Amino acid sequence: MVVYLVGAGPGDVDLITVKAVKVLKKADVVLYDYLSNNEILEYAPENAKKIYVGKKAGSHYKKQNEINELIVKEAQDKTNSKNGENPIVVRLKGGDPFVFGRGGEEILELAKAGIDFEVIPGVTSAIGAPTSIGLPITHRAVSTSFTVVTGHEDPTKPNKQVKWDYTADTLIILMGIGNIKENTTEIMKYRDPKTPACVIENGTLSNERIIFGTLDNIAQKDINTPAILIIGNVIDVFKDMNHLKE
């Protein structure tokens, strides 16, 4: 038996990989997250078992340990298969399974149960969203490095790991809109408050929205989720390319 951990990409249905589509087309079971674009599920067979296990800010349909157990249960249930053999199970995750997708926790559970797995990478919103609008996260003479960091740590952790003293030229924050004021306040301890900042809402989708600001005022803007926060001088490069103003 094999479980496929599949990255669905940043939202645009056309940005899912060809390999991911091939796996979805033969799936017996699909366990899917809160995806930006449910059209991706249409690649799975009509009679495939589809189970929503979504998690988003303020609303967890299932806890992570429940999801882990459910993946194992579905993989071991031969009644899910059309031929009575082991079913083909796809765990479909927004973005990339290993970029704050907790894919590592899921494959550890599969390994404990003796279930084989394959990971199919996806385009993470951390790169896909800015790239799709033409915002370069690196640019010669402006940015030679970038850091992708979570803006929301597991509240059950005994100690925080995010210290915000990152030295990369470009900082990309995922899942941080709910804590944007607290996070930017911490970042200003290490960076100029006038550092350019922008938020990309619903990246790669038709209702995408870009909000510009600076480190000291971006938290005051009208921002909706899902969204990512980008901080760094590459934003000025993007503005120059497009002659944009705040």
Side-chain angles (χ1 to χ4, degrees), residues 1-7 17 19-20 22-23 26 88-93 97-98 103 106-107 110 115-121:
M1 67 188 77
V2 178
V3 172
Y4 295 90
L5 270 70
V6 176
T17 66
K19 188 171 185 178
K22 287 180 179 178
V23 168
K26 62 182 183 181
I88 296 172
V89 176
V90 172
R91 172 67 173 104
L92 186 63
K93 307 171 78 68
F98 287 170
E106 293 173 1
I107 63 174
L110 291 169
I115 299 172
D116 291 335
F117 59 86
E118 181 177 339
V119 181
I120 300 178

Side-chain angles (χ1 to χ4, degrees), residues 130-196:
T131 299
S132 69
I133 63 171
L135 195 164
I137 57 176
T138 63
H139 188 80
R140 189 167 59 172
V142 176
S143 173
T144 59
S145 59
F146 65 91
T147 291
V148 180
V149 61
T150 177
H152 177 80
E153 291 191 84
D154 184 346
T156 64
K157 286 163 55 174
N159 298 300
K160 288 192 174 185
Q161 292 171 271
V162 178
K163 304 300 182 186
W164 299 114
D165 55 344
Y166 297 103
T167 57
D169 297 313
T170 305
L171 187 59
I172 303 168
I173 303 171
L174 303 183
M175 305 176 295
I177 301 307
N179 298 326
I180 189 169
K181 182 166 181 56
E182 295 86 347
N183 292 343
T184 51
T185 298
E186 286 297 311
I187 296 168
M188 282 189 285
K189 294 178 182 178
Y190 309 99
R191 299 199 180 202
D192 185 342
K194 296 303 177 184
T195 301

Side-chain angles (χ1 to χ4, degrees), residues 5-230:
L5 270 70
V6 176
D12 184 343
V13 67
D14 291 333
L15 292 178
I16 191 170
T17 66
V18 173
K19 188 171 185 178
V21 170
K22 287 180 179 178
V23 168
L24 275 168
K25 284 183 174 179
K26 62 182 183 181
D28 295 307
V29 182
V30 181
L31 298 100
Y32 65 100
D33 275 346
Y34 171 72
L35 301 174
S36 298
N37 199 329
N38 282 333
E39 287 180 39
I40 292 171
L41 291 174
E42 294 178 10
Y43 285 120
E46 188 176 348
N47 61 350
K49 186 177 181 180
K50 301 175 182 74
I51 305 171
Y52 176 64
V53 292
K55 293 184 294 180
K56 61 179 179 177
S59 177
H60 283 198
Y61 185 74
K62 286 190 180 294
K63 296 179 180 179
Q64 187 59 49
N65 65 314
E66 293 176 321
I67 295 172
N68 297 345
E69 293 169 2
L70 186 58
I71 296 170
V72 170
K73 175 179 174 291
E74 295 298 329
Q76 293 174 332
D77 187 351
K78 292 187 178 182
T79 63
N80 286 326
S81 174
K82 292 181 284 291
N83 55 16
E85 298 179 357
N86 293 317
I88 296 172
V89 176
V90 172
R91 172 67 173 104
L92 186 63
K93 307 171 78 68
D96 181 272
F98 287 170
V99 181
F100 303 120
R102 303 184 80 164
E105 296 176 41
E106 293 173 1
I107 63 174
L108 281 172
E109 198 69 22
L110 291 169
K112 289 178 186 176
I115 299 172
D116 291 335
F117 59 86
E118 181 177 339
V119 181
I120 300 178
V123 178
T124 172
S125 62
I127 297 174
T131 299
S132 69
I133 63 171
L135 195 164
I137 57 176
T138 63
H139 188 80
R140 189 167 59 172
V142 176
S143 173
T144 59
S145 59
F146 65 91
T147 291
V148 180
V149 61
T150 177
H152 177 80
E153 291 191 84
D154 184 346
T156 64
K157 286 163 55 174
N159 298 300
K160 288 192 174 185
Q161 292 171 271
V162 178
K163 304 300 182 186
W164 299 114
D165 55 344
Y166 297 103
T167 57
D169 297 313
T170 305
L171 187 59
I172 303 168
I173 303 171
L174 303 183
M175 305 176 295
I177 301 307
N179 298 326
I180 189 169
K181 182 166 181 56
E182 295 86 347
N183 292 343
T184 51
T185 298
E186 286 297 311
I187 296 168
M188 282 189 285
K189 294 178 182 178
Y190 309 99
R191 299 199 180 202
D192 185 342
K194 296 303 177 184
T195 301
C198 84
V199 168
I200 304 175
E201 288 181 7
N202 295 299
T204 77
L205 297 175
S206 59
N207 58 341
E208 180 178 74
R209 180 168 168 254
I210 307 166
I211 303 103
F212 293 108
T214 52
L215 193 50
D216 64 348
N217 68 21
I218 193 69
Q220 300 164 25
K221 308 287 183 175
D222 177 24
I223 300 170
N224 300 303
T225 58
I228 68 170
L229 171 63
I230 303 170

